[in-house]
Amino acid sequence: MIIFFFFQAEDGIRDAQESRGLGDVYKRQVSTQSTGRAHPEMLGALRATALRKPALSTRILSVRTFKELPDKPSPSSAKDDEAAKVRLRRKKATRPTMVGSRAGLDVLHDPLLNKGTAWPNSERERLGLRGLVPPARLNLQTQVDKLLSAYRRIDDPLQKNLYLINLLDRNEVLFYKLVCENIEEMAPILYTPTVGQVCQSFGDVFTRARGMYFSADDAFEMASMVYNWPQDNVQVIVVTDGSRILGLGDLGACGMGIPIGKLVLYCAAGGIHPRNVLPVMLDLGTDNEELLNDPFYLGVRQKRLQGEEYFERLEECMVAIRQRWPQAMVQFEDFSSDKASTILDMFRDDSLCFNDDIQGTGATLLSGVLSSLRVKGMRLGKSTEDLADQQILVCGSGSAGLGIAGVLHQSMVSSGIQSEEALSRIWVVDQWGVLTDQPVAGRPRLTREQRIFAKPSNNWTGDALSELVNHVKPTVLIGATACAGLFTQEVVTSMAESSELPIIFPLSNPTTSSECTATEAYEWTDGNCIFASGSPFSGFSFNGSEVTPSQANNMYIFPGLGLGATLCQATTMSDEMILTAAEALAACLTEEEAAAGQVFPSVERIRDCSQYIAAAVIRKAAEQGVAGAPNMAEILEQTEEYVALSMFEPRYTPVVPGRHSMSLPSSMDMV
């Protein structure tokens, strides 16, 4: 055992040395003269290098889809499977964290190292902590119990969020242990709907920088700036420009609360190590006059860049990211609807990236609709209806609404029907009515994505949403408008009259922007509906029964999707990988949950769901030939086991001083 541990540590030291050497090479590539400035003419060459697809491993095997995998290994493969598990367990063996010459307060003030009052006497002695922390030692679980008690004494959601973020800034292991054990209770505080309040008051509550800020003032400096971030092994990056935060509009640099909140869920729900994530704010100005006049606003005080200048700075940022972290997955978040699809198309074919508002929302809704059809069949005592037989009305033609329509269309086509027939079953409306192929007074010219779903102008001439519901007779009604109360009693009752157990999904965030509430949907349909919302609604009593509304939140999709894509080192995020994630999430709904009317699994099981989704995504990536991990053969031997052992678990690991620095065990240790 001693010999095995020694070689593991030596491997870690060698990996760290190699990472530093690679960083030096990159620094020399992007630095010129003594200033470190990257000249404009270098950007084209940098982009060609940074976004070039790495060569794929020749060891990728032919594999079955996740639906075809047996629940248990066959007797003939049991010995090989057990050997694979042993190899994985050995790679997961706990290693010490070596901190070089750091000691004393330097260690205590590092949230990735700090253990608070849990330091054992041996570490207090060798790290120079004796006398710097109270003598009593509280173990990790006792610390969690103490903090949870204090947390539950706070009433205001914003103050609860600040309490948790303050803990995150002090002790990340303790923070994630607390959140993982209470994720159903704390997810709405750390993300929607409370994150909207956090962004609105970001300048007022800001206490400590987290992540990186690239601004309009940093033109031609970004390639050097990325080396200010201390971590070499960044695996997931969430970037926003703050132009469309939830349903709150342009919040500029205050939108940084969104990447921070998203990455908390990547770590807590998806098992990505906190050391390997990076929130990024691309601050190219704001058109919000209130913020520009706010003395506490933390962003650049100028109008938002537009046109070619905007995209030049965006591309410079992406090139810099790819140059420093070529295998990281980039998630675009809350970009304005007029730019979101264009930005995704710029990078999706030669870079591992995706847009959560478009693809993540679409995948979540596809999973919700598939699960709803299953629940509908159980409640009516019928077989499950096909998605291709549904009439779907999507309210909202922005990036979220079009992303939902697009994923539903792709899924219908993959089931075997023609594209034209699938399009005929999907209606998209905006504030001017149904999208049509003819101009409408006041409506801007349709984008390329909107034109896909435009109907012939003679298909519909009415104005009211309730009239359209009577005309289309939808079985599925989806809201992505940020228009509170859009689903009126007349709209909902009209839908209930034309459809048995209509599926109603008001998705807009935060809760105050929801198209209708859970209580309204149940009262107006006499309980005969299947409901899920974007933000959480509290449970309530209806006709003597307790109702717990489901939440159609993207947090069910993106953590597992990101975990799978990074573990297999996917070179791109294909549409098929996203559809696979949606189908895998639908498969996670248990019979008991479906019988209780749930549309999504219980939030307390979200880590298990992320593990299952990640395994499915890995197999799909391998099947499509976009998985670039050099050990793909080993990964595919025991995919679920590999994913489970790769996931970050919040626990304290031994900390020792040493001449070399070695990373904490991470979700990528076994790659």
Side-chain angles (χ1 to χ4, degrees):
M1 293 297 292
I2 295 175
I3 295 173
F4 172 73
F5 171 80
F6 174 79
F7 281 118
Q8 288 285 82
E10 286 298 310
D11 287 345
I13 294 170
R14 185 168 57 253
D15 290 345
Q17 291 171 330
E18 291 173 353
S19 294
R20 289 195 297 273
L22 184 61
D24 292 339
V25 171
Y26 280 147
K27 287 179 182 178
R28 289 195 295 271
Q29 284 181 324
V30 300
S31 300
T32 60
Q33 303 176 358
S34 61
T35 62
R37 175 181 292 272
H39 291 293
E41 57 267 24
M42 294 178 63
L43 288 179
L46 285 175
R47 173 172 166 76
T49 301
L51 300 182
R52 184 168 57 242
K53 295 182 181 180
L56 297 182
S57 169
T58 58
R59 300 176 62 191
I60 296 176
L61 302 182
S62 173
V63 296
R64 293 165 287 176
T65 63
F66 73 96
K67 289 186 176 179
E68 298 171 325
L69 291 175
D71 293 332
K72 297 180 180 179
S74 61
S76 61
S77 66
K79 186 175 181 180
D80 292 339
D81 289 347
E82 185 57 34
K85 290 180 180 179
V86 170
R87 290 197 300 273
L88 292 174
R89 283 197 296 271
R90 285 177 177 174
K91 290 186 176 183
K92 186 67 171 180
T94 300
R95 302 184 299 186
T97 300
M98 304 185 72
V99 294
S101 60
R102 301 173 65 187
L105 292 176
D106 193 21
V107 172
L108 290 180
H109 291 167
D110 187 334
L112 283 165
L113 299 175
N114 184 29
K115 300 181 182 181
T117 54
W119 293 100
N121 289 334
S122 58
E123 291 180 340
R124 297 184 187 209
E125 188 66 43
R126 64 176 176 253
L127 293 172
L129 303 179
R130 189 176 294 277
L132 299 182
V133 291
R137 183 191 175 197
L138 305 182
N139 63 31
L140 181 57
Q141 191 57 55
T142 302
Q143 289 177 313
V144 168
D145 295 341
K146 182 186 78 167
L147 291 169
L148 182 61
S149 176
Y151 171 85
R152 288 176 174 167
R153 291 196 294 270
I154 303 172
D155 295 324
D156 180 61
L158 178 59
Q159 293 303 315
K160 285 188 171 185
N161 177 281
L162 299 179
Y163 177 85
L164 292 176
I165 295 300
N166 184 265
L167 173 61
L168 178 63
D169 288 338
R170 299 194 317 271
N171 185 332
E172 296 208 9
V173 170
L174 179 53
F175 168 83
Y176 283 108
K177 181 70 171 177
L178 175 65
V179 172
C180 287
E181 290 188 358
N182 303 277
I183 193 163
E184 186 170 9
E185 178 180 354
M186 294 181 177
I189 299 298
L190 290 165
Y191 200 58
T192 55
T194 309
V195 72
Q197 293 178 261
V198 173
C199 290
Q200 288 177 310
S201 56
F202 192 78
D204 297 325
V205 302
F206 180 90
T207 56
R208 177 172 176 166
R210 178 169 289 272
M212 291 198 73
Y213 294 79
F214 299 91
S215 76
D217 296 334
D218 298 320
F220 312 122
E221 299 286 355
M222 298 179 190
S224 298
M225 289 169 59
V226 289
Y227 291 96
N228 292 335
W229 190 252
Q231 307 302 335
D232 291 325
N233 191 27
V234 171
Q235 297 299 325
V236 179
I237 298 170
V238 177
V239 57
T240 185
D241 69 349
S243 57
R244 190 196 62 82
I245 299 299
L246 302 176
L248 303 172
D250 184 350
L251 295 184
C254 295
M256 185 56 151
I258 294 292
I260 292 172
K262 283 277 186 181
L263 288 169
V264 163
L265 293 179
Y266 266 108
C267 300
I272 305 291
H273 197 284
R275 184 183 288 268
N276 297 340
V277 300
L278 173 62
V280 170
M281 164 54 64
L282 181 60
D283 182 8
L284 301 182
T286 178
D287 293 328
N288 187 324
E289 291 293 339
E290 184 177 350
L291 290 177
L292 291 174
N293 295 321
D294 184 350
F296 301 125
Y297 179 57
L298 300 178
V300 293
R301 295 179 184 274
Q302 66 175 52
K303 290 289 187 177
R304 185 175 296 278
L305 297 183
Q306 299 295 338
E308 184 177 350
E309 191 175 8
Y310 174 93
F311 287 104
E312 284 178 354
R313 297 289 75 75
L314 170 68
E315 185 166 14
E316 181 187 356
C317 180
M318 282 294 291
V319 167
I321 286 171
R322 283 288 170 242
Q323 194 74 11
R324 175 83 196 274
W325 303 290
Q327 293 180 335
M329 185 191 77
V330 175
Q331 174 180 318
F332 298 113
E333 187 69 27
D334 284 353
F335 284 77
S336 61
S337 297
D338 62 322
K339 295 184 178 71
S341 295
T342 301
I343 292 170
L344 180 61
D345 290 342
M346 285 175 64
F347 302 104
R348 66 182 302 177
D349 292 333
D350 55 9
S351 180
L352 180 59
C353 64
F354 85 110
N355 185 300
D356 189 51
D357 303 304
I358 299 174
Q359 297 163 296
T361 301
T364 303
L365 260 291
L366 171 59
S367 175
V369 172
L370 294 176
S371 297
S372 296
L373 294 176
R374 178 178 162 198
V375 171
K376 183 176 181 178
M378 293 177 66
R379 288 177 61 175
L380 296 178
K382 300 179 180 179
S383 59
T384 301
E385 298 175 1
D386 292 334
L387 175 64
D389 294 331
Q390 307 306 307
Q391 286 287 341
I392 300 173
L393 178 56
V394 179
C395 297
S397 65
S399 56
L402 292 173
I404 293 166
V407 171
L408 291 172
H409 171 259
Q410 291 170 9
S411 184
M412 287 183 179
V413 172
S414 68
S415 70
I417 69 171
Q418 295 297 312
S419 176
E420 293 75 12
E421 182 179 354
L423 290 172
S424 72
R425 295 183 173 277
I426 301 173
W427 294 68
V428 179
V429 301
D430 61 12
Q431 66 191 87
W432 292 278
V434 176
L435 296 186
T436 65
D437 56 8
Q438 295 297 319
V440 174
R443 172 188 278 159
R445 184 178 179 182
L446 297 186
T447 65
R448 174 172 55 87
E449 294 77 20
Q450 289 173 327
R451 288 196 296 272
I452 294 173
F453 297 98
K455 303 292 184 185
S457 57
N458 57 359
N459 270 24
W460 175 247
T461 58
D463 294 322
L465 181 58
S466 58
E467 295 176 2
L468 182 61
V469 168
N470 287 328
H471 174 73
V472 176
K473 298 186 179 351
T475 55
V476 181
L477 178 63
I478 298 169
T481 64
C483 182
L486 178 66
F487 296 169
T488 63
Q489 182 173 359
E490 185 179 5
V491 168
V492 174
T493 54
S494 295
M495 190 174 178
E497 290 170 359
S498 60
S499 172
E500 276 189 304
L501 285 179
I503 298 168
I504 302 174
F505 285 179
L507 302 177
S508 294
N509 290 310
T511 309
T512 53
S513 298
S514 183
E515 286 79 8
C516 73
T517 67
T519 305
E520 290 170 342
Y522 270 76
E523 289 179 349
W524 295 339
T525 62
D526 197 25
N528 294 315
C529 70
I530 298 174
F531 179 93
S533 57
S535 284
F537 283 102
S538 301
F540 58 94
S541 296
F542 184 81
N543 289 345
S545 300
E546 290 299 315
V547 177
T548 303
S550 289
Q551 184 184 3
N553 196 302
N554 294 11
M555 70 180 180
Y556 281 109
I557 285 287
F558 66 76
L561 185 64
L563 178 63
T566 54
L567 283 178
C568 72
Q569 295 181 23
T571 55
T572 59
M573 184 72 73
S574 67
D575 291 338
E576 290 78 9
M577 291 165 65
I578 293 171
L579 288 177
T580 295
E583 293 170 358
L585 175 57
C588 288
L589 190 72
T590 66
E591 291 294 323
E592 294 76 15
E593 289 168 337
Q598 288 182 229
V599 177
F600 292 91
S602 300
V603 176
E604 62 189 18
R605 293 200 302 113
I606 195 167
R607 282 178 68 92
D608 293 335
C609 295
S610 294
Q611 177 185 332
Y612 187 76
I613 292 168
V617 168
I618 289 172
R619 284 190 286 266
K620 178 57 68 173
E623 177 185 312
Q624 294 192 294
V626 298
N631 60 334
M632 277 306 299
E634 181 180 4
I635 294 174
L636 294 171
E637 285 179 6
Q638 274 292 338
T639 309
E640 284 82 2
E641 186 82 5
Y642 184 88
V643 172
L645 291 176
S646 298
M647 295 176 71
F648 162 70
E649 296 176 8
R651 62 186 180 190
Y652 293 134
T653 57
V655 179
V656 297
R659 186 169 57 85
H660 299 285
S661 175
M662 184 168 67
S663 299
L664 286 164
S666 75
S667 61
M668 296 300 294
D669 271 348
M670 300 189 298
V671 175

